[in-house]
Amino acid sequence: MKPSSPQRAQTFAQLRRIVIVGATSAIAEHCARLWTRHRAADLVLIGRSDERLRRVADDLSVRSPSSHIESLSADFTDEAAIEHVVAAACAAGAPDIVLIAHGVLPDQATCQADLRACHNALAINGVSPALFAEAFVARMEGAGPASLVLIGSVAGDRGRQSNYVYGAAKGLLDRYAQGLQHRLALAGSSLKVILVKPGPTATPMTAHLAAQGQPLAPVETVAQAVISGVARGRAVIYAPGKWRAIMLVIRCLPNMIFHRMKI
């Protein structure tokens, strides 16, 4: 039987409290493994599928028997559901780390032809993570040093014909994180907001890209870059780091050159 919130707060007060939204994503799952490899944690896993959450929670319980793991499910596109699940995740106190990692990789051609698909891609990749972040910040801002981590993408650095709907959603997160960092800095808050920009990564979401021969970074490498960057308190993390230089070049290309490139 799981302890009630007051009991849980007392029992696990000595553990670092980590909340992971989109906990069934490959990057999030590997981050959870790294965070609990040498140090037990009070983990709250949030996802959309109870079955998949149970699988991740069971795996982490075996890997880190001293950790306390709780799972919560919610509709990630409903603002009332987001508010409710964030309140539940913070019932025992403000988290030390929140990782917001959910998203989908839509088909660009489908988004162009189907406005509902386009809307859903923008909502789940951009609006939903921003709503989760805002709900957590309201509970974390005055609670002491903590980190709020958003998974964006290098796709948000410049709109490209191959994935501009997905890129637009991740671009929204980029500007959102910048503005939130600015607000918290002016307020003198000890809450750090960290934006992670992975390049193409080998996950189930990108299996079709691997089948097409596109080079993908190992998910373990990306997760390690996230963990290391969060520990250092970096504002922006490119994962792997080579993407910082690559995207700098792409952002700086004049349109007369960029518009001749099919990328």
Side-chain angles (χ1 to χ4, degrees):
M1 179 182 296
K2 290 181 180 179
S4 63
S5 293
Q7 291 172 321
R8 177 169 169 264
Q10 183 177 5
T11 304
F12 301 105
Q14 72 277 19
L15 298 180
R16 182 170 53 171
R17 184 171 294 114
I18 301 173
V19 179
I20 301 179
V21 181
T24 62
S25 76
I27 293 175
E29 186 173 358
H30 280 78
C31 285
R33 292 176 184 178
L34 290 172
W35 271 319
T36 57
R37 177 174 291 176
H38 302 298
R39 178 182 176 186
D42 182 7
L43 279 175
V44 180
L45 308 178
I46 301 176
R48 290 176 281 179
S49 166
D50 288 326
E51 181 179 353
R52 293 179 65 193
L53 281 170
R54 279 194 298 271
R55 177 188 61 77
V56 174
D58 289 346
D59 176 76
L60 290 171
S61 294
V62 172
R63 294 172 183 271
S64 180
S66 299
S67 291
H68 173 263
I69 302 170
E70 179 180 354
S71 299
L72 301 170
S73 60
D75 180 351
F76 281 16
T77 61
D78 179 83
E79 59 270 20
I82 291 172
E83 180 69 30
H84 178 77
V85 78
V86 170
C90 297
D96 299 298
I97 298 173
V98 171
L99 171 63
I100 300 175
H102 61 285
V104 297
L105 185 61
D107 178 69
Q108 175 62 35
T110 301
C111 289
Q112 291 168 209
D114 183 345
L115 290 184
R116 181 176 294 276
C118 185
H119 177 272
N120 290 341
L122 292 168
I124 199 65
N125 289 304
V127 176
S128 176
L131 292 178
F132 267 105
E134 202 66 24
F136 276 112
V137 168
R139 293 163 171 85
M140 298 170 69
E141 184 173 354
S147 297
L148 178 84
V149 188
L150 286 157
I151 300 290
S153 171
V154 296
D157 278 16
R158 187 166 188 176
R160 293 175 290 123
Q161 57 86 30
S162 58
N163 65 353
Y164 63 81
V165 171
Y166 178 73
K170 293 304 186 179
L172 181 156
L173 278 187
D174 194 331
R175 291 298 176 268
Y176 172 81
Q178 287 180 8
L180 185 55
Q181 288 166 347
H182 188 204
R183 176 169 79 80
L184 294 173
L186 289 175
S189 175
S190 57
L191 173 59
K192 294 180 180 178
V193 174
I194 298 165
L195 179 65
V196 181
K197 298 185 179 184
T201 304
T203 69
M205 190 171 75
T206 58
H208 65 290
L209 298 179
Q212 296 168 7
Q214 181 169 332
L216 304 173
V219 67
E220 297 86 356
T221 300
V222 172
Q224 184 59 64
V226 174
I227 299 301
S228 300
V230 171
R232 296 184 183 122
R234 299 184 64 177
V236 179
I237 302 167
Y238 282 87
K242 67 179 182 180
W243 284 99
R244 184 180 297 273
I246 293 171
M247 295 314 298
L248 175 62
V249 172
I250 291 177
R251 287 197 308 272
C252 292
L253 284 173
N255 282 340
M256 63 180 295
I257 296 174
F258 182 68
H259 287 171
R260 295 175 183 174
M261 303 171 66
K262 193 172 183 180
I263 59 174

